[in-house]
Amino acid sequence: MSKVLVSDPIDQAGIDILSQVATVDVKTGLKPEELVKIIGEYDALMIRSGTRVTKEIIEAGTQLKIIGRAGVGVDNVDVAAATRQGIVVVNSPEGNTIAAAEHALAMMLSLSRHIPDANASVKRGEWDRKSFVGAEVYKKTIGIVGLGKIGSHVAAVAKAMGMKLLAYDPFISTERAEQLGCQLVDMDLLVQQADYITLHIPKTPETTHLINATMLAKMKPTTRIINCARGGIIDEEALATAIKEGKIAGAALDVFESEPLGESSLRSLGKEVILTPHLGASTTEAQVNVAIDVAEQIRDVLLGLPARSAVNIPGLGPDVLEELKPYMQLAETLGNLVGQLAGGRVELLNVRLQGELATNKSQPLVVASLKGLLFQALRERVNYVNASIEAKERGIRVIETRDAAIKDYAGSIHLEATGSLGTHAVTGALLGDGEIRLTNLDGFPINVPPSHHMLFTVHRDMPGIIGKLGSLLGSFNVNIASMQVGRKIVRGDAVMVLSLDDPLPDGILSEITKVPGIRDAYTVTL
Ligand SMILES: NC(=O)C1=CN([C@@H]2O[C@H](COP(=O)(O)OP(=O)(O)OC[C@H]3O[C@@H](n4cnc5c(N)ncnc54)[C@H](O)[C@@H]3O)[C@@H](O)[C@H]2O)C=CC1
Ligand SMILES: O=C(O)C(=O)COP(=O)(O)O
């Protein structure tokens, strides 16, 4: 049975799902050196933001197939190291969107009305109504940095509260921003005009210290900043100084450069600063959502199925996966088949996506083809995560083409592999019930399902040849399950495709090619 390590607190709903397929150990608060020591036993690791999954931990995780982040941000995972090792990294892109957005909005209102300090004052026995006069958000300008899932929800609520909306997000279209009632502006204009600035972007090298002393200097003395995204997007020292010097009005922070927050000048500031201990995703609802979402993906991957929200499999989002799932197996089977037909070292793989597959969304099918192609060389070590890297490192050039005009089937995939021993091509499609059909082999039309043991021959179409091959296989005690001939013209060249009940014994291929009329023979195990 597989083993899963859960190293941060997650909802029981997730543990229940994992327990269906694995032994689950919940060990929270492990030191990095403790994690390195035990990770080698586990097939999967489930975390939140509390565990830093470094290269060292990943390299020690020799059995790891998947790292599941029960939340959004994967900046605490060395995704590049995981990818290299073929470990799929998944997250829950939407499970805590509302929780994080509501926390940012709660922070904005709390900051404006001094709620945390007013509450503490009353609890101390005071009745001070003068010190906590606040500001309204109505008709004020909110500058939303990052108009993704969380930023969009913040925009919708802020609009409903009567705020004017500015947004900075270089990857969002003007139309999308307008739909949300936001004016897209550059960062400079946003920081100059906004009364409230709220951050909803990932932490990347580009966004690290995006809010620094220079940016802070451009803000209004009445500006308040909210960061419920990631620590390190704001330069905390510069922020504390700007607040102390009255350059801006305040800040509400849920996330910090280093967590848990240690010594910090932010702690000594008054009601103009609110600090929460990374609570953005901490609602009952969000924790159930993310635990189920990620546990299901871990379960699927442990069962050999693809994950719907892998961050290191380009282009394979949940909607795309739903559409492509049946074709992924087709692409993989064809890749495996054409790789074996080509034999030797493959240098070039042409992937043509045809009919309804001729869209940009079908890029994962190229990855699946490569996974199949590399299977003979790498076996279980190749997967959707590392197939492209492995192919690149082996010098396999990949050419992708798309042809929507080829409509023999709703969608079909054509692969052509060129290697040291020549070029071979195979085409396949799915039937209505999702069954795979091989529809063309080296230019010859065929219509056969793939099977475990297959034999392909190229021969001259002439009487008696099929019988001779059958007798030869019989003499080696090989049973034929099915057989089909594909030809373009009568008595021209033809291919024979045989499904066999047994593997071909060693040495038989050379006997087959001695049969008069048979030019080539290939055996394939799928
Ligand atoms: N405090 C907490 O507990 C939580 C924090 N988060 C954090 O919130 C952030 C946003 O999450 P989502 O909205 O779900 O992500 P998302 O991926 O839906 O949105 C992020 C947006 O940022 C934009 N973006 C990327 N780089 C940018 C840049 N250099 N400048 C401006 N915009 C840029 C993207 O185009 C995208 O629209 C993440 O950092 C996530 O880790 C998420 C959940 C809970
Ligand atoms: O989902 C995210 O990105 C978060 O920051 C939430 O973090 P957490 O799971 O609460 O440790």
Side-chain angles (χ1 to χ4, degrees), residues 27-45:
K27 295 183 183 180
T28 57
L30 291 170
K31 295 198 179 81
E33 57 276 19
E34 291 170 330
L35 190 47
V36 167
K37 232 182 244 167
I38 62 168
I39 195 68
E41 297 169 33
Y42 293 97
D43 303 280
L45 172 64

Side-chain angles (χ1 to χ4, degrees), residues 48-50 69-75 96 229-230 255 278 280-282 287:
R48 285 175 57 196
S49 62
R69 190 327 186 186
V72 178
V74 289
D75 46 296
N96 61 24
R230 272 297 171 274
V255 285
H278 202 146
S282 293
Q287 284 314 305

Side-chain angles (χ1 to χ4, degrees), residues 73 96 148-150 169-171 200-202 207 228 230 254 278 280-281:
N96 61 24
K149 289 179 281 295
I150 299 170
D169 189 327
F171 309 106
H200 300 291
I201 50 178
T207 63
C228 290
R230 272 297 171 274
D254 183 47
H278 202 146

Side-chain angles (χ1 to χ4, degrees), residues 189-219:
L189 197 67
L190 184 144
V191 295
Q192 283 164 29
Q193 296 198 348
D195 301 296
Y196 296 87
I197 297 172
T198 184
L199 307 178
H200 300 291
I201 50 178
K203 186 178 176 198
T204 63
E206 293 75 45
T207 63
T208 300
H209 285 192
L210 178 68
I211 305 294
N212 54 21
T214 317
M215 279 288 177
L216 287 158
K218 294 178 185 169
M219 295 174 193

